[in-house]
Amino acid sequence: MKEPDDQDTDEGRSGSRSDGRQSSRSDSKQAPEDTTDDLYTDEEESYFDDDLDFGYGEPSSTSFQEFIQMTSSQEPPPEITEEEEEIVKKISETFFYNYEELVSIPYVTPDSKIPLDFLTLEHSFGYDCKKRANLQLLDSSTILYIAGNQLVLLDFKTKDQMYLQSSSGQGIGAIGVHPDKTYFTVAEKGSFPNIIIYDYPSLRPYRILRDGTEKAYAYVDFNSEGTLLASVGSHPDYTITIWNWIEEQPTLRTKAFSQDVFKVTFNPEDDEQLTTSGSGHIKFWEMAFTFTGLKLQGSLGRFGKTSTSDIEGYTEFPDGKVLSGSEWGNLLLWEGSLIKVELCRTGMKSCHQGPINQIMLDEGEVITAGSDGCVRIWDFETIDTADIIDDTGLLEIEPINELQVDKNVNLFSMIKMNETGNNFWLAQDASGAIWKLDLSFSNITQDPECLFSFHSGAIEALAVSPLTYLMATTSLDCSVRIYDFASKTPLVQMKFKQGGTALIWVPLTVSFSAAQIIIGFQDGVVRILELYDPKGLTLFAGRKKNLDAELHLKHVFKPHTAEVTALAYERDGEILATGSKDNTVFFFDVEKDYTPIGYFTTPGPVCQLTWSPVSHPESTLMTLCENGYILESSSPTFKNVDDHDVVSYEIKDMLLRCFHFSSIKSKILRLMEIERRERQKELREKEKEARRRRLAEESEAFGEEESLEEESGEEEEEEEEPLPEIFIPPTPSPILCGFYSGPGRFWVSLGSYDSGFLYHCQFPPFVRGSDFQKQADEPFDFRFLEDTEDNPIQKFTFSSNQTMMFCGMRNGAIRVYILNQSDPSLTSLQDYWHFSVHDNDYGCITNVSVSFDDKYLVTAGADGNIFVFNIFSQFMVQKEMKAKIPSPRFGIESEPIPEDIEDPKAYSIENARRKREYDKLMKEVEEIKASKREQIKALRNEFWKLLAMNKELPVHMQFQRTDFNIDARIHAEINKKTISKIQEVETELAWEKQKYELGLKKLQNRFRDPLESDTVVVYAIQSDHQIASYRLVKPSKYSKSKRPSQSERRASKMERFEKEGPGRKESLKDTSGSASIQEESIIEKGKKTRPRTLSEIMVGNQVEKTKKLIQKAERAQLKILQRKKEWDELYKSKPDDDYEDPKDVQAIREAQTYMGDFNLKTAPDYKIPEHMRINAAKKEEELGHLDSMAHGKKRYMNKCILSLRDLKLAVIEEIQCLVQELKNIQLSIPSSKHIPIPQIPQIYPEEVPERRFQYDEETLLRFKRKQKKRQGDREDSKQTGSGSAGGGALGFLKQSYGKEGDLTTRDSLSRSSKASGYIMDLPKSSEFEKAEPSDVELEIMKRDEVKHLYMQQYLCSRIKELTVTFDAELHLLRHRKLKLDTKMKLSDLHHVTLFQEMLLLKNFEKQENILQESVNSLDKEEQDMQWKINETLKEMEEKKNEITKLQEQEKALYAGFQSALGENNKFANFLMKVLKKKIKRAKKKEVEGDADEDEESEESSEEESSLESDEDESGSEDEVFDDSICPTNCDASLFELALQLRERRLDIEEALVEEKKIVDNLKKEYDTLSKKVKVVAANLNAAEEALEAYQREKQQRLNELLVVIPLKLHQIEYVVFGEVPNDLSGTLVFSNHSLGRLQERIIQLQEENAKQQKLNKECRERRKILIREKREMAKTIQKMEETVRDLMISKFGRVINLEALQTLSVNMTLEELKIKKLRKELSNAKELRMWEEKIAQMRWELMMKTKEHTKKLHQMNNLCIEKKKLDSRLNTLQNQQGNAFQGPRKADILAGRKIAQLVQAQSEKILALKEEIALLRKKGGLILPPIASTQENEMKSMDA
């Protein structure tokens, strides 16, 4: 079958690519040629060429679908000829490929009789659950998923499977299903893999897409219509391709990203938009038409402030937004290429716990599936309209519904089932399951149903029952599963805490029913499980429904500390061996319930254990280590030794033989190279011999020389390359597997460098004490394995008769070697059957097992797949088989389950034994230490006794303490050791010390530092009264900071502008005016610097004359204006009829506000005044003020109490001194006269709380003893701990007080100085006691006694006085504090009320601020509009004044012209008609320039006006009009004046029209603004009403708060029948001050009423007087007006306007026209002279140009003559040279070209000169420089 040519693209542009790669990969599965008629129905040229224009007119108007349709139906362009190699054929819609020709088939060695169907796939128990989108739905009951190299179609209702094999044989990358479910696509892996699209349900290959990526496809997706297919490749190219899959053509192609791309999808609403996501990125694609054609343009999503994340799941919204997941579980909403908002749940919780793997949009809801096993439903509208609200970029939303599937579920993908009326979904669980979910969330919603359960991840171990068709598997997913692979049924599974790593079936010699399996786990534990059929058990009531099989835990033990990697039973079943990665092999006695025998250590991690078969004479164990060591040990013997006497299980005398593998691969390759070269050499020798014979026959023809040359060439060919060097890998190759071939011999397979061979090895003889690491043993034989250089054998097993060796390869393939019987040396290892089954990248086969009857082969791989194959047999009978489950043992249900080892840190058998021995040893050591301590204690007691006896001896007989030191060096050494130990202990306890210091610091920061002062209790001395200070914390946050009120109204910008604006405008005007004045002054200065001409002097005189007249008129007008202004001010000062005094208005407003019927705050229509409105900020300020005030009062009281405590301390110190003095005095007086010594007051711990934090060594020792006592007896410590603690504290305080009691103040010393001085001499009298005193002495003694008695009485009274004084101070301060306590309680109540109000106000604050801002904005808007209205009114007023001025100017113009005419002028009517004639004028153009341009513009304007006028007026002399020619006998000056005034009138009228238009526009603007102001005012009123209603609601909520007001009975004046009623809800609470103010206000209002009545009476009388005076003034004004009218008539004959008469005293228009005329005449004369000079200059230039061109004509004539001569010469030369040579030479050609160019240049010059001559002949012709031609330039360059 001939396939269509491949197509490729470059940078997103479709085009053919013929790189020869397809031809190098010759497709062996091409169809026969006879199928081409069906394949190619219409021959078309390639329309994806690079030169093809994809525009088709307007690029934006052509959609991508239209582009595909156009390109698919486009005719071949005419430029493409039949010589082009690549031709694209259109494929018939009914064409299908042959599946048998596409599918990969097993490889069988040639000339072998192995059938292709040697292994037939029977069933798949696995599922690659961690592959993306590996679950697709074809119809209501068929699902599609990838399992290794197979595509499985599973009917989940009948559980039947169908398989499609990979065509490449290297795995499948991705799958996809057509939207119509009629096709599904299989994107494969391999070298430039294909995408095969199958028809469903026929399963025939429909289309094949080629060359879309280099290694493998990662994802495929159809568009919504199914016409396009998008694919993305994996490493290394990551190519994204858009396919027109029906035509098998790539449409667009480009590189998606530089890292892994997980997914590519079309936008369901727009096929021209795609999205890709992957490792750390998301990218948005769009198909765009460019000038080079259709391209795929990508925009990389920018995360911004959000952390970069891998994007697994996303979905496109209809409006172009994209919602994606993240690694931390939040949703990211993308708009454009930026994150619009990040969505999370309430409380900043993530939407999912972990990555979000899939997001779907279904029926207006967003569905997310995460790795936390949850499915959550979100509202689409909420997400689509979401936006950020703060700087965090997060928005909190909550799901509508959610479903927790199960524990330990990781949802990877979901797909909806098309069942009408149901909302069922299928979910891919990365933990190894397929779920059916009901997302209807109704009352009848079904629970999640697990349809299928598989292993998650690699299968670590697999074993087959030796008796029936049962299979056991384990994996790192912590499960053990049992399958019946004959009936294709999973039976039972069991979960554990750790993953399984090794598993074997217990042999029949141990369990005759084959009911036990043994499993090794990650934590080193080995468990033995027993399988049985629960149906054989007695059924009791309440027992759950029996399953097909159950597992029972029989034994559990932990021999290792690392994962168990190998398990093996001895051939007789007596010993179990376990190997682990902890480099140990442990043995157990099976018969004695797996009693430990011992273990030995290995030089590396154990990977396999194999016991010698029965054919060997001895039972030995071969241990294979990963690092290249193979050990052999004999079967250990069990010694009957008491378990307590065993110190360790290690077998010290284990005899081990070791084989340390040394690489010989390089030697093998060297030998193979030598053999190859020898064979080549033999072939060459044969060829040489044949060649010599042939040369001998041909020697006569060629001679001897050639033969010698050939022989020398052959000798050169014989020089060979050097042989490969011997190489030993630095890192030993890992041993993968091995098996015994005979006693002491074995075969091994190695990985890494040494792969590609099977090595036959032999153990060396045992040498005691040899070092294994120094050994280097080499195999003695090997077998070469084809195609295993990088694909070694991982596992192998044999059939029961040893004729088949089944090998599991690293790339997931199965290889079966057919062997001869009894061939341990593998001499027949040649023919094999090879087929790829598991995934080629990560599907390394971990186990291969054969059933007990060699009918089935079971394989397990690292890709999580388990395949069951039927082994080919000639006697195979097709019948249904089923495994027999072992029957339960008798009493198994009552057998106790052993205690499982679930703690991974539990001790192993050896470690437990060592721990027991260590504990035993430590116990013995402690006993020895205790006995030694007793001996030392006895010696220490004896030593203390000796020291006591030494002290009892006389001083001169006592030994010194140093005499007891036997050797000072011993003590020094002991001290040194003690110091070092102390330092060591300090170092050891440094961390603990720092820990507790930090803990103490934290406690202090939390509890002590916030305290400003702790509670201090001061007790009275003689009574039980006491006073306690306030426990005062630092000021609260409310008293520290003042939060600004957000709802306060601020002055708007317009208000500030109104304050600053006018002055600023005037200043700007002033500055602009000053600038213009400066410019004028500069101009005037410039004028003054140059001398004045006669014309300027004439014009100046005329201007000065006119100025004087103008000044005179202006003075008169200024006087009139001044008089008008005075009248206007006078009229403005006149009050209106409804005028009201502002003071009265303010008084009325205040009266309305503060007087009348006031509503209570609880009234529903209560309106809150502006000054009484409160918000949270004000309330916080009020609360802070209250806190600071209470804090200040409490702090002051605490200071008073502390000073009182200090006073008590001083009193106690003084009393201590006085008591001491009193005791001294009482020593010198008789005891009968002693007064009882007053008791010294006591300081209590509560009075000095700061001393609780003071400690010394004795306190610490006491604390240590107390801690020990608590540890000894916890219950007693609870009872005695408080007493001991109190006693300790009191003791400590007593000690500290004693120390402080020694200190006395200066006051106490000064007071007792006299008494102490008197007592100093008392001891002297005792020296003369025996002598009898004399009378004088008796008198002195009596006097002293009296003095002492006085001092005794004085001291006692002084002590009493101090005590009484202190108690009085305490009582006084206590009374003050009680009052303060009352106030503080009231402040606390007020604080609670304020705090409640503040919380309530904070709830209202947000909405209130919004309303207030709305009111402020509307108010500002209203002010702005009002300002605009005022500005518009001002502008209108100004424009009206300008209109009035213009009208007055027009009147003045007519009046002036009338006065100029004079009386009785016969041409008055004609001139007035001329003046008043209405003519149309063109708009004046403002042209800047010199005087010439002004004149030209004036002439053009006159011409235009003449064309536009109705009467076709013209200024030419030829045309005559009635109103443009002065009549005869008419004054020409008057006629000119009429024309000039007419122009001025027209100017005035135009200005009036413009001003009226402006006024109209201003009126319209004013009306618009007025309407807007009304709308804004209405909105403002509504907003103010809303704010007022909100304030009222807030006030009502404040009124609902309960306020506690404590009252005394005398404060309650609401009494009913002399008693206080029970219900006081209807009462009002007033303070006395407020009540007094209300009563005073009544009196004030009465006085104010009388005063206002008196003032009203006076104002009425004043009004009558003013009315009378107004009448008299009106009469006076009327008389004066009559007098003025009479004077005007008498003087002028009529009533005239005096103001107009004054302004018309000077005809300004006429004077201005005269000055203008004079200036124009002077300027015209000057210009006339200038033009005469220009004409003369131009004449002279014309003469010079004429001479120059005459000269050029002569030159042209000479050149023409020269040209004729050259032509004739050229002709003669051509005639002469043409005869001499056959053809023209190069030099002649060049010369001819030069001459031709010269001739052409000259002819161009001639033409240019002729044109110049013609121009010069014309008048006013412009002379341009000659244009040099390109040929002339080239000639010049050639000449140069």
Side-chain angles (χ1 to χ4, degrees), residues 804-928:
M804 292 181 289
M805 185 173 78
F806 301 94
C807 304
M809 313 304 288
R810 174 164 292 177
N811 66 349
I814 301 174
R815 181 173 291 190
V816 184
Y817 285 94
I818 306 300
L819 305 175
N820 296 332
Q821 290 188 355
S822 302
D823 186 13
S825 299
L826 302 181
T827 55
S828 58
L829 191 71
Q830 293 179 357
D831 298 337
Y832 65 89
W833 182 93
H834 184 94
F835 189 52
S836 294
V837 178
H838 293 268
D839 192 271
N840 293 62
D841 295 331
Y842 53 89
C844 170
I845 293 182
T846 57
N847 287 95
V848 179
S849 297
V850 183
S851 64
F852 71 100
D853 56 358
D854 291 344
K855 289 185 177 181
Y856 294 97
L857 176 70
V858 183
T859 65
D863 57 356
N865 290 309
I866 304 169
F867 295 111
V868 180
F869 294 91
N870 202 331
I871 301 174
F872 176 79
S873 175
Q874 295 180 355
F875 306 101
M876 185 169 55
V877 180
Q878 294 293 335
K879 63 177 182 178
E880 293 187 4
M881 293 181 288
K882 187 175 183 182
K884 181 182 178 183
I885 302 170
S887 301
R889 288 185 292 106
F890 179 74
I892 191 172
E893 69 272 11
S894 61
E895 194 175 278
I897 299 174
E899 184 180 357
D900 200 358
I901 303 172
E902 296 183 351
D903 186 7
K905 296 181 181 179
Y907 289 109
S908 63
I909 295 172
E910 176 64 16
N911 289 345
R913 178 54 55 87
R914 290 183 179 179
K915 181 70 170 59
R916 189 187 71 181
E917 292 300 321
Y918 176 77
D919 294 342
K920 182 179 178 182
L921 180 61
M922 293 304 295
K923 184 177 180 181
E924 294 175 355
V925 171
E926 289 296 330
E927 291 176 355
I928 295 171

Side-chain angles (χ1 to χ4, degrees), residues 1157-1398:
D1157 184 14
F1158 292 101
N1159 292 328
L1160 295 176
K1161 290 183 179 180
T1162 56
D1165 56 345
Y1166 174 69
K1167 186 175 181 180
I1168 305 170
E1170 187 69 29
H1171 66 282
M1172 292 182 65
R1173 291 183 179 178
I1174 195 84
N1175 54 17
K1178 293 180 181 178
K1179 192 60 69 175
E1180 280 186 10
E1181 186 179 352
E1182 188 178 351
L1183 189 62
H1185 178 69
L1186 177 64
D1187 286 347
S1188 59
M1189 184 178 65
H1191 186 271
K1193 291 185 177 296
K1194 288 181 179 179
R1195 184 166 53 188
Y1196 177 74
M1197 179 55 66
N1198 284 354
K1199 286 182 181 179
C1200 295
I1201 294 172
L1202 288 175
S1203 62
L1204 183 67
R1205 194 271 307 270
D1206 295 338
L1207 176 63
K1208 184 176 181 180
L1209 292 175
V1211 166
I1212 289 173
E1213 289 178 1
E1214 189 171 355
I1215 289 174
Q1216 284 177 351
C1217 296
L1218 294 174
V1219 167
Q1220 187 63 34
E1221 293 174 4
L1222 187 58
K1223 288 180 181 178
N1224 294 335
I1225 289 172
Q1226 285 184 352
L1227 292 175
S1228 59
I1229 59 176
S1231 58
S1232 59
K1233 296 183 179 180
H1234 286 184
I1235 298 175
I1237 297 175
Q1239 188 178 1
I1240 298 174
Q1242 185 181 1
I1243 292 293
Y1244 296 94
E1246 292 84 357
E1247 294 179 321
V1248 281
E1250 64 273 7
R1251 293 182 184 174
R1252 287 180 296 185
F1253 303 102
Q1254 299 173 0
Y1255 58 90
D1256 53 7
E1257 187 175 359
E1258 185 180 351
T1259 308
L1260 295 176
L1261 291 173
R1262 192 184 304 115
F1263 177 75
K1264 185 177 180 180
R1265 289 194 295 271
K1266 186 167 62 176
Q1267 289 292 102
K1268 287 183 178 180
K1269 190 174 181 182
R1270 286 181 181 176
Q1271 291 177 1
D1273 191 1
R1274 295 183 180 179
E1275 293 182 358
D1276 295 338
S1277 65
K1278 290 180 181 178
Q1279 298 175 359
T1280 60
S1282 58
S1284 63
L1290 289 172
F1292 163 70
L1293 289 172
K1294 287 178 182 177
Q1295 182 181 2
S1296 61
Y1297 300 154
K1299 291 178 181 178
E1300 293 181 0
D1302 297 336
L1303 302 174
T1304 57
T1305 58
R1306 294 182 180 180
D1307 296 336
S1308 62
L1309 289 173
S1310 61
R1311 294 193 200 99
S1312 60
S1313 59
K1314 296 181 180 179
S1316 60
Y1318 175 75
I1319 297 167
M1320 289 296 291
D1321 298 333
L1322 289 177
K1324 297 181 180 180
S1325 62
S1326 62
E1327 298 178 0
F1328 306 98
E1329 287 179 359
K1330 295 181 181 179
E1332 293 182 1
S1334 61
D1335 296 337
V1336 177
E1337 291 174 347
L1338 290 172
E1339 187 64 28
I1340 291 171
M1341 289 172 65
K1342 287 181 181 178
R1343 185 178 295 175
D1344 291 340
E1345 183 179 354
V1346 171
K1347 188 176 182 181
H1348 290 158
L1349 291 172
Y1350 172 74
M1351 287 301 298
Q1352 179 183 0
Q1353 187 66 34
Y1354 171 75
L1355 292 174
C1356 289
S1357 60
R1358 176 60 182 166
I1359 291 171
K1360 188 175 181 181
E1361 180 185 355
L1362 290 171
T1363 305
V1364 171
T1365 304
F1366 173 76
D1367 287 351
E1369 289 287 340
L1370 188 140
H1371 293 160
L1372 182 61
L1373 189 60
R1374 182 169 173 270
H1375 182 68
R1376 288 171 54 194
K1377 185 174 180 295
L1378 289 173
K1379 289 184 177 180
L1380 185 61
D1381 287 342
T1382 305
K1383 293 181 179 179
M1384 289 301 103
K1385 286 296 179 185
L1386 293 174
S1387 71
D1388 290 343
L1389 292 173
H1390 190 42
H1391 185 280
V1392 171
T1393 304
L1394 291 178
F1395 191 75
Q1396 291 176 348
E1397 290 177 350
M1398 186 190 69

Side-chain angles (χ1 to χ4, degrees), residues 1649-1691:
N1649 193 11
K1651 185 178 179 181
Q1652 289 295 329
Q1653 288 178 356
K1654 183 179 178 181
L1655 184 62
N1656 188 16
K1657 186 177 179 181
E1658 293 176 356
C1659 289
R1660 284 182 179 179
E1661 293 176 355
R1662 177 64 179 164
R1663 180 173 177 275
K1664 291 177 181 179
I1665 295 170
L1666 289 174
I1667 290 172
R1668 194 182 307 118
E1669 290 179 355
K1670 179 182 176 183
R1671 290 174 184 169
E1672 293 176 357
M1673 291 294 294
K1675 292 177 181 180
T1676 306
I1677 290 170
Q1678 188 177 2
K1679 289 180 180 178
M1680 293 179 71
E1681 287 178 351
E1682 290 176 356
T1683 305
V1684 169
R1685 190 182 301 105
D1686 294 340
L1687 288 173
M1688 282 184 180
I1689 290 171
S1690 63
K1691 189 174 182 179

Side-chain angles (χ1 to χ4, degrees), residues 1443-1479:
I1443 290 171
T1444 305
K1445 289 179 182 178
L1446 289 172
Q1447 290 174 349
E1448 290 176 354
Q1449 288 179 9
E1450 190 176 8
K1451 290 179 181 178
L1453 185 143
Y1454 282 114
F1457 186 71
Q1458 191 70 34
S1459 62
L1461 288 176
E1463 296 181 358
N1464 302 322
N1465 192 335
K1466 61 181 180 178
F1467 296 102
N1469 292 331
F1470 172 77
L1471 292 175
M1472 286 300 293
K1473 287 181 180 179
V1474 170
L1475 178 63
K1476 293 182 179 181
K1477 184 178 180 180
K1478 295 180 180 179
I1479 60 174

Side-chain angles (χ1 to χ4, degrees), residues 676-688:
R676 186 185 65 80
R677 292 184 181 184
E678 288 178 354
R679 288 195 299 270
Q680 289 181 354
K681 190 175 182 181
E682 291 177 358
L683 291 174
R684 281 198 299 269
E685 289 294 336
K686 293 179 181 179
E687 290 176 359
K688 284 181 182 179

